[in-house]
Amino acid sequence: MKVNEIFTSIDGEGIRQGYLCSFVRLYGCNLKCNYCDTRYACEGGKYTEMTVSQIVSKLNEYHVRNITVTGGEPLLAPEIKQLVAVLAADGYRINIETNGSVDYSGIWTDEERKQLGKRLFLTVDYKLPDSGMVRMMKHNCFERLQSDDVLKFVVQSRNDLLAMKDFLMHNPQICSHVYVSPVFGKISPREIVEFMQEFNLVDIRIQLQIHKFIWDPATRGV
């Protein structure tokens, strides 16, 4: 697998925000969002080839049971299913951060996901208009979300907020964990809260990337 970095920190966002977590950042992505803060994991060729066994051995050194596999786009890696299977068998709980453009039903069947249970959940990002990548969304990714999965919106304008509201209006039962995050420095959290109040969006939760407040926003490996 093409690994950009492996490290332990806190989870900066999502349902495990604030908890210790080990990260596997894989290299390569099929999208080019205009707000991407990890282009170093998508271009430039900075990665190390590692086997699944080598990755698991490295994670075992940290003794942290929460794992987030991110990127880039981790579902592009052919070995992702094997990596999840080995980590799950070892008792880890795995979160895969995916960009909504890779149909994961081609990787795990519904039955396989049921067997994995709480050992695996997906955080799926629905790209909004200002990202420039909304055309790449695969709706099957969102229709197949399970109870422990997370739907995430990253917004940078009112236009994005309106698109998010429209998506949720047409997909009211899509997921029990729905988050909205601002693009750092592009839109104020206050504007998002006011929008939520304006349209009474009671089933979505605002989140800030807390690692960007603890460390400099450009810091890697945190």
Side-chain angles (χ1 to χ4, degrees):
M1 303 183 81
K2 295 180 179 180
V3 178
N4 177 263
E5 56 184 348
I6 299 177
F7 60 94
T8 291
S9 183
I10 56 154
D11 209 328
E13 54 191 314
I15 60 175
R16 297 194 302 208
Q17 187 178 62
Y19 286 98
L20 285 177
C21 183
S22 291
F23 291 82
V24 179
R25 186 180 303 284
L26 299 179
Y27 180 86
C29 190
N30 58 328
L31 302 186
K32 196 170 185 177
C33 301
N34 60 20
Y35 57 77
C36 181
D37 57 2
T38 54
R39 290 311 301 171
Y40 58 88
C42 307
E43 56 193 21
K46 294 184 178 180
Y47 62 85
T48 301
E49 287 281 1
M50 298 180 69
T51 65
V52 167
S53 294
Q54 288 172 327
I55 294 171
V56 174
S57 293
K58 183 63 177 178
L59 292 171
N60 286 340
E61 295 176 9
Y62 296 134
H63 305 290
V64 176
R65 307 316 292 174
N66 296 324
I67 304 293
T68 291
V69 185
T70 186
E73 172 47 59
L75 294 187
L76 295 177
E79 306 92 342
I80 190 66
K81 186 173 184 177
Q82 180 189 0
L83 177 63
V84 167
V86 174
L87 289 172
D90 283 352
Y92 288 103
R93 186 167 188 234
I94 309 106
N95 171 28
I96 294 181
E97 296 184 335
T98 179
N99 63 24
S101 72
V102 181
D103 184 358
Y104 48 84
S105 66
I107 302 172
W108 297 280
T109 65
D110 288 344
E111 181 59 30
E112 286 172 330
R113 289 215 57 201
K114 183 178 179 180
Q115 291 172 359
L116 284 164
K118 293 185 179 296
R119 293 298 180 193
L120 171 67
F121 70 96
L122 304 179
T123 298
V124 186
D125 193 345
Y126 186 87
K127 302 300 182 184
L128 295 165
D130 285 2
S131 72
M133 292 290 117
V134 66
R135 69 187 186 281
M136 299 293 289
M137 295 297 90
K138 295 284 181 64
H139 285 275
N140 194 40
C141 294
F142 306 95
E143 293 168 354
R144 299 174 71 100
L145 287 171
Q146 299 192 5
S147 59
D148 287 332
D149 291 338
V150 177
L151 172 62
K152 182 176 76 171
F153 298 94
V154 178
V155 302
Q156 52 186 323
S157 67
R158 183 175 176 85
N159 183 50
D160 277 351
L161 288 167
L162 289 168
M164 175 191 73
K165 179 180 73 70
D166 184 66
F167 180 88
L168 293 173
M169 181 180 68
H170 288 93
N171 302 275
Q173 305 298 323
I174 197 165
C175 187
S176 58
H177 302 293
V178 183
Y179 290 83
V180 56
S181 294
V183 175
F184 197 84
K186 290 290 187 180
I187 186 173
S188 72
R190 177 176 174 176
E191 184 174 345
I192 297 173
V193 173
E194 290 172 348
F195 184 90
M196 293 166 64
Q197 293 173 318
E198 179 182 353
F199 292 99
N200 195 31
L201 301 179
V202 298
D203 295 321
I204 187 168
R205 182 183 301 181
I206 187 173
Q207 65 171 5
L208 306 180
Q209 295 175 298
I210 60 173
H211 55 288
K212 292 187 177 180
F213 293 88
I214 298 172
W215 295 279
D216 184 280
T219 303
R220 300 184 187 181
V222 295

